[in-house]
Amino acid sequence: MNNQEYANIVLKELEHTLSNIDIDKTNAFVELLNTSNAIFSCGAGRSGFMVKGFAMRLMHMGKTSYVVGETCTPNITKDDVLVICSGSGKTASLVNYANKAKEIGAKIVLVTINVNSTIADMADIVIEIPAVSPKSDVQGSVKSIQPMGSLFEQSEGIYLDIVIMLLMEKLGYSSDTMFTRHANLE
Amino acid sequence: MNNQEYANIVLKELEHTLSNIDIDKTNAFVELLNTSNAIFSCGAGRSGFMVKGFAMRLMHMGKTSYVVGETCTPNITKDDVLVICSGSGKTASLVNYANKAKEIGAKIVLVTINVNSTIADMADIVIEIPAVSPKSDVQGSVKSIQPMGSLFEQSEGIYLDIVIMLLMEKLGYSSDTMFTRHANLE
Amino acid sequence: MNNQEYANIVLKELEHTLSNIDIDKTNAFVELLNTSNAIFSCGAGRSGFMVKGFAMRLMHMGKTSYVVGETCTPNITKDDVLVICSGSGKTASLVNYANKAKEIGAKIVLVTINVNSTIADMADIVIEIPAVSPKSDVQGSVKSIQPMGSLFEQSEGIYLDIVIMLLMEKLGYSSDTMFTRHANLE
Amino acid sequence: MNNQEYANIVLKELEHTLSNIDIDKTNAFVELLNTSNAIFSCGAGRSGFMVKGFAMRLMHMGKTSYVVGETCTPNITKDDVLVICSGSGKTASLVNYANKAKEIGAKIVLVTINVNSTIADMADIVIEIPAVSPKSDVQGSVKSIQPMGSLFEQSEGIYLDIVIMLLMEKLGYSSDTMFTRHANLE
C-alpha cells in the first residue's frame, strides 16, 4: 500500500472512534475545565505527548495549566482537576497520580479505551474512546490495522483538540486571541 | 456544535491534507529512514510532540533513533538523517539544526506547509502537507476552522504514523515484533 | 586516585570559583528576582539541568517560575526577568532568547564564565563565575582537572542554590514553608 | 549573610558528605558501569536533573546511556545496570523501576541518604551519601542549613561527576576525547 491508501484506512478508523464519543460526558468535561482553578494533565509514552499538546493549548487560552512531572508544576489542590489519558486505564505511574489526587479531593477525568479499570473506578468523568490495538480484544470497540496503541493515541489527540474548540466556543475565544499568548522565546 | 459535529469537520480537513501528500516523495523518505545509520528528529512546540511519538516508534522498531535536545542524543554524522517538522519551514532553532546537519553532510527531510522556506531550500526531501491555520493564507492549501497550527500538527502526526507502517511493511515487521522493544520501566 | 581524593580537588576548585563571585551583583540579582512579575530561566545541556533545579526551587517558594521550552511556559513580558546560564555566553539558542527578551523589554541576568560575550553585552546583570574547562584559556580564571564544563556547571548549581537562600532570607521563608508547595503528584 | 559566606558553609557541608563516601563501593560502581551493556539512569525532581547530567557525560564517553522516561529509551535487559538516585530510597516511581529491573535480572545501584530503604534492599550496590535536610533526622549524618534536599542533590551531582572521572581514568580517556562526542545540534 502507499501512503494515501493507508490514510484512507486510518481516517475510517478515526471516524469510528471519534463519532462514538459521548456528547454529554464531553460537555461535562468542558464545563469542569472551565470551572476548575488549575488543570493538571498527564499520560505516559506517546499518549503523554498528546496530553502535552492539550496542556499547551490550555495555556494559550490563558488557563492555569500544568503537565505532571515538569519542572515548575506545583502541588495539586482540591479546587483543581487532573486529566489522565491512559488506554489501559491502569498504567502504574498514572494510578499513583490518581490515588493522590483523590486523597486531596481534586476532580479526575480519564480518557481511555478501558472503562472498567483502576483509574476509571476513581474518576469523576470517564471518556471512552472505542479504539483497540491489534493485540487487545475489547468487545464493541474498533479493531485497527495500526501497531500498538496508535489508533487510541491519534483519537485522543484529535479529541482533546476538539475539547479545546468547545472550550473556545464557550468562552468566545478566537484563534487570534490565542496567538497573543503563544510562547515568544522560541 | 457538539464534539461529534466538530469531529466530522476535522476529519474532512484531515482527508484533504492526507490525500494530497506525494507518494513518490514519501517512498523516498521511507527508503532514507531504512538506509540511514541513525535518525535524528526535531520539531518545536506541539509539532515537536508529534515528532517525539515518531522517534519513539522508530525505537520500537529497533532503529537507532534520537530526539534533538534530549539528554543522551549524541552528535550527528554524515551517515545520519535529520527529520525536521516545521509548519513555517523557518523556526529559528530548527534552521540552526538544519545548517549544522548540512555542514556535516547529514541528509535532511522536511515535513512542512511551506515548501518555499529556509529549511526547504536546504532539505534533500521536502514533504508538503497542504494545511493552513486560519491566520495564514497559502494558495492551494486547505483552510481550517481549527486554531493556530492544529490541522498541520494533526496531519503531521498521522502522516508520520503512516510512514512507520510503510517502513514496517518494507521490513516485514508486525505490531508483535515491536511490543518486545517497548520500554519496560514504566 | 580514589573518589575521596578527587573530592578534595573538586572542592578546592569550587572554593576558588564560589569565593570570587561578586557580592553586590548577587544582591542586585536577588532583588530583581524579588521584584519581577515572573522569572523565566534557560540554559543548554548540563548547564540547563542546573537551571531547572533553580526554577523548581523558585516554584517551591511560590514565585511564578518557568523554564523556557517547557510545555506550559507562556510568552515573556516587559515586567519579567530572563535568567540565562551559559559558560561561553554565546550559545546560539540562548542568544536567540536574549534577543527576543531584549526586544520585549524584559530584564536579563547572565551567569557565565565569559563576561565579554554576545549575551553579556545584552544583559542587565552579569554574574561572573571564574571557572574554565581544560580546553578553554580565559585569563584570571581557575583551571580545572575536570572534563569539559563540569566546574562551571557545578559552580552554577551551587551558586543558584545560594541565591535561593538569599531570597528566602529576604522573604523570611524557611524550608518548612517550602515543603508545602512541593509537587504532591510524584 | 552574603553569597560568599553562604558558599563557605555549603562547601563545608559538601566536604563532610563527599569525604565520607565509601571507596570500595565506589570502585565496584565504576567497574559495573564499565562492564554493563547499557546504563539506565533515573531520579525524581532535582535529584533527577543531576542524574541527567551523569547520563549525558556517559554518552559523551561513548557508553550506551539512557535516562528512564525519555523518548528513545528502550527496554532494559539482564546485561544492563539501573542507576537510581533517591535521597529517601523509597520514591514511589523509582521503587517501581527497581522492581521491574530486578524481575528482569538487571543490576541496580542506589545512591541515597537512606541505606535502610525499599530500594536499598533490592540494590546490588548501595552508595551512602551522609546528607540530611533540615527536616529529616538520620543518625550519624550531616545536618544542613540548606532547604529540603539541596545538600543531597549537590553531593549527588558532584559525586557522579567524580565517578565519571574514575571511569575516564580507567579507560584512559581525556576531556578532548569526550568533546568529539558532544551533541553538535545545539
Side-chain angles (χ1 to χ4, degrees):
Chain A
M1 283 203 285
N2 65 41
N3 59 299
Q4 297 183 358
E5 291 163 340
Y6 270 117
N8 277 339
I9 298 176
V10 171
L11 286 168
K12 282 217 180 66
E13 293 185 359
L14 288 169
E15 204 187 314
H16 276 285
T17 54
L18 293 172
S19 309
N20 284 293
I21 299 179
D22 196 275
I23 294 173
D24 290 342
K25 286 183 181 167
T26 298
N27 290 339
F29 178 15
V30 173
E31 184 55 28
L32 189 54
L33 292 174
N34 192 32
T35 54
S36 293
N37 179 52
I39 302 157
F40 289 71
S41 303
C42 61
R46 282 174 38 110
S47 177
F49 298 141
M50 294 299 178
V51 157
K52 289 188 174 185
F54 176 62
M56 186 179 272
R57 274 288 185 268
L58 289 170
M59 175 273 285
H60 290 156
M61 296 185 74
K63 287 286 177 193
T64 304
S65 170
Y66 301 108
V67 174
V68 178
E70 293 208 342
T71 306
C72 296
T73 301
N75 48 341
I76 197 169
T77 75
K78 67 173 182 47
D79 303 320
D80 303 328
V81 60
L82 176 64
V83 178
I84 305 177
C85 293
S86 167
S88 71
K90 50 189 185 186
T91 316
S93 59
L94 305 179
V95 171
N96 258 359
Y97 300 158
N99 274 322
K100 295 201 186 156
K102 195 82 191 166
E103 198 182 302
I104 284 148
K107 291 276 186 298
I108 298 174
V109 177
L110 173 68
V111 179
T112 188
I113 298 171
N114 190 358
V115 296
N116 298 306
S117 58
T118 325
I119 302 176
D121 289 347
M122 287 186 276
D124 297 278
I125 300 174
V126 178
I127 304 290
E128 181 181 7
I129 294 185
V132 288
S133 71
K135 221 188 175 178
S136 314
D137 187 24
V138 181
Q139 221 170 4
S141 60
V142 181
K143 279 259 176 180
S144 171
I145 64 152
Q146 302 190 72
M148 305 168 83
S150 289
L151 177 57
F152 173 70
E153 294 143 12
Q154 293 158 357
S155 304
E156 174 201 332
I158 296 174
Y159 174 71
L160 293 174
D161 277 353
I162 289 170
V163 166
I164 292 292
M165 287 191 284
L166 290 166
L167 188 56
M168 286 173 66
E169 198 181 300
K170 186 180 277 262
L171 296 170
Y173 282 12
S174 74
S175 193
D176 287 347
T177 332
M178 292 169 70
F179 264 113
T180 67
R181 289 196 189 83
H182 192 278
N184 53 7
L185 286 180
E186 290 195 81
Chain B
M1 283 203 285
N2 66 42
N3 58 299
Q4 296 182 0
E5 291 163 339
Y6 270 117
N8 277 338
I9 298 176
V10 171
L11 286 168
K12 282 217 180 68
E13 292 185 359
L14 288 168
E15 204 187 313
H16 277 286
T17 54
L18 293 172
S19 309
N20 284 294
I21 299 180
D22 196 275
I23 295 174
D24 290 343
K25 285 183 181 168
T26 299
N27 289 339
F29 177 15
V30 173
E31 184 55 28
L32 188 54
L33 292 174
N34 192 31
T35 54
S36 293
N37 179 55
I39 301 157
F40 290 71
S41 302
C42 61
R46 281 172 40 109
S47 176
F49 298 141
M50 294 299 178
V51 157
K52 288 187 175 186
F54 176 62
M56 185 179 272
R57 275 286 185 269
L58 289 170
M59 177 273 286
H60 289 155
M61 298 185 72
K63 287 287 177 193
T64 304
S65 169
Y66 300 108
V67 175
V68 179
E70 293 208 343
T71 306
C72 297
T73 300
N75 48 342
I76 197 170
T77 74
K78 67 173 184 43
D79 302 320
D80 304 328
V81 59
L82 176 64
V83 178
I84 304 176
C85 293
S86 168
S88 70
K90 49 190 187 187
T91 316
S93 59
L94 305 179
V95 170
N96 258 0
Y97 299 158
N99 274 322
K100 294 202 188 155
K102 196 82 191 165
E103 196 181 303
I104 283 149
K107 290 278 185 295
I108 298 173
V109 177
L110 173 68
V111 178
T112 189
I113 298 171
N114 190 358
V115 295
N116 297 307
S117 57
T118 325
I119 303 177
D121 290 347
M122 286 186 276
D124 296 279
I125 299 174
V126 178
I127 304 290
E128 180 180 8
I129 294 185
V132 289
S133 72
K135 218 186 176 180
S136 314
D137 188 25
V138 180
Q139 219 170 4
S141 60
V142 180
K143 278 258 176 181
S144 171
I145 63 151
Q146 302 189 74
M148 303 166 83
S150 289
L151 177 57
F152 173 71
E153 294 143 13
Q154 293 159 357
S155 304
E156 174 201 331
I158 296 173
Y159 173 70
L160 293 175
D161 278 353
I162 289 171
V163 166
I164 291 292
M165 287 192 283
L166 290 166
L167 187 56
M168 286 174 66
E169 197 182 301
K170 186 180 278 262
L171 296 170
Y173 281 12
S174 75
S175 193
D176 287 347
T177 332
M178 291 168 71
F179 265 113
T180 67
R181 290 196 188 84
H182 192 277
N184 54 6
L185 286 179
E186 288 196 83
Chain C
M1 284 203 284
N2 64 43
N3 60 299
Q4 297 183 0
E5 291 163 340
Y6 271 117
N8 277 338
I9 298 176
V10 170
L11 287 167
K12 283 216 179 69
E13 292 184 0
L14 287 168
E15 203 187 315
H16 277 284
T17 54
L18 293 172
S19 310
N20 284 294
I21 298 179
D22 196 274
I23 294 173
D24 291 342
K25 285 183 181 166
T26 298
N27 290 338
F29 177 16
V30 172
E31 184 55 28
L32 188 54
L33 292 174
N34 191 31
T35 54
S36 293
N37 178 54
I39 302 157
F40 289 71
S41 302
C42 61
R46 282 172 41 108
S47 177
F49 299 141
M50 295 299 179
V51 157
K52 289 187 174 185
F54 176 62
M56 185 179 272
R57 274 287 185 269
L58 289 170
M59 175 273 286
H60 290 156
M61 297 184 73
K63 287 286 179 194
T64 304
S65 169
Y66 301 107
V67 174
V68 179
E70 293 208 343
T71 306
C72 297
T73 301
N75 47 342
I76 197 169
T77 74
K78 65 174 185 40
D79 302 320
D80 303 327
V81 60
L82 176 65
V83 178
I84 304 176
C85 293
S86 167
S88 70
K90 50 187 185 188
T91 316
S93 59
L94 306 179
V95 170
N96 258 359
Y97 300 157
N99 274 323
K100 294 201 187 156
K102 196 81 191 168
E103 198 181 301
I104 284 149
K107 290 276 186 296
I108 298 173
V109 177
L110 173 69
V111 178
T112 189
I113 298 171
N114 190 358
V115 296
N116 298 306
S117 57
T118 324
I119 303 176
D121 289 348
M122 286 186 275
D124 296 278
I125 300 175
V126 178
I127 304 289
E128 180 180 9
I129 294 186
V132 288
S133 72
K135 218 187 176 178
S136 314
D137 187 25
V138 181
Q139 221 171 1
S141 60
V142 180
K143 278 259 178 181
S144 171
I145 64 152
Q146 302 190 72
M148 305 167 81
S150 289
L151 178 56
F152 173 71
E153 294 143 11
Q154 292 159 357
S155 304
E156 175 202 330
I158 296 172
Y159 173 70
L160 293 175
D161 277 352
I162 289 170
V163 166
I164 291 291
M165 286 192 283
L166 290 166
L167 187 57
M168 286 173 67
E169 199 182 300
K170 184 179 280 260
L171 297 170
Y173 281 12
S174 75
S175 193
D176 287 347
T177 333
M178 291 168 70
F179 265 112
T180 67
R181 290 197 190 84
H182 192 278
N184 54 6
L185 286 180
E186 289 197 83
Chain D
M1 284 204 285
N2 65 43
N3 60 299
Q4 297 183 0
E5 291 163 340
Y6 270 116
N8 276 339
I9 297 176
V10 171
L11 286 168
K12 281 217 179 68
E13 292 185 0
L14 288 169
E15 203 186 315
H16 277 284
T17 55
L18 293 172
S19 309
N20 284 294
I21 299 179
D22 196 275
I23 294 173
D24 290 343
K25 285 183 180 166
T26 298
N27 290 338
F29 178 15
V30 173
E31 184 55 27
L32 189 54
L33 292 174
N34 191 31
T35 55
S36 293
N37 178 54
I39 302 156
F40 289 71
S41 302
C42 61
R46 281 174 39 109
S47 177
F49 299 141
M50 295 298 179
V51 157
K52 288 188 174 185
F54 177 61
M56 186 180 271
R57 275 286 186 269
L58 289 170
M59 176 272 286
H60 290 156
M61 297 184 74
K63 288 285 179 194
T64 304
S65 170
Y66 301 108
V67 174
V68 179
E70 294 208 341
T71 306
C72 297
T73 301
N75 48 341
I76 197 169
T77 74
K78 66 172 184 43
D79 302 320
D80 303 328
V81 60
L82 177 64
V83 178
I84 304 176
C85 292
S86 167
S88 70
K90 51 188 186 189
T91 316
S93 59
L94 305 180
V95 171
N96 258 359
Y97 300 158
N99 274 323
K100 295 202 186 156
K102 196 81 191 167
E103 198 181 301
I104 284 149
K107 291 276 186 298
I108 298 173
V109 177
L110 174 68
V111 178
T112 188
I113 298 171
N114 189 358
V115 296
N116 298 307
S117 57
T118 324
I119 303 177
D121 289 349
M122 287 186 275
D124 297 277
I125 300 174
V126 178
I127 304 290
E128 180 181 8
I129 294 186
V132 289
S133 72
K135 218 188 178 179
S136 315
D137 187 24
V138 182
Q139 221 172 1
S141 61
V142 181
K143 278 259 178 181
S144 171
I145 63 153
Q146 302 189 72
M148 305 168 82
S150 289
L151 177 56
F152 173 70
E153 294 143 11
Q154 292 158 357
S155 303
E156 175 202 331
I158 296 173
Y159 173 70
L160 293 175
D161 278 352
I162 289 170
V163 166
I164 291 291
M165 287 192 282
L166 289 166
L167 187 56
M168 286 173 67
E169 198 182 301
K170 185 179 278 259
L171 296 171
Y173 281 13
S174 75
S175 193
D176 288 346
T177 331
M178 291 168 69
F179 265 113
T180 67
R181 289 197 190 82
H182 192 278
N184 54 7
L185 286 181
E186 289 195 83

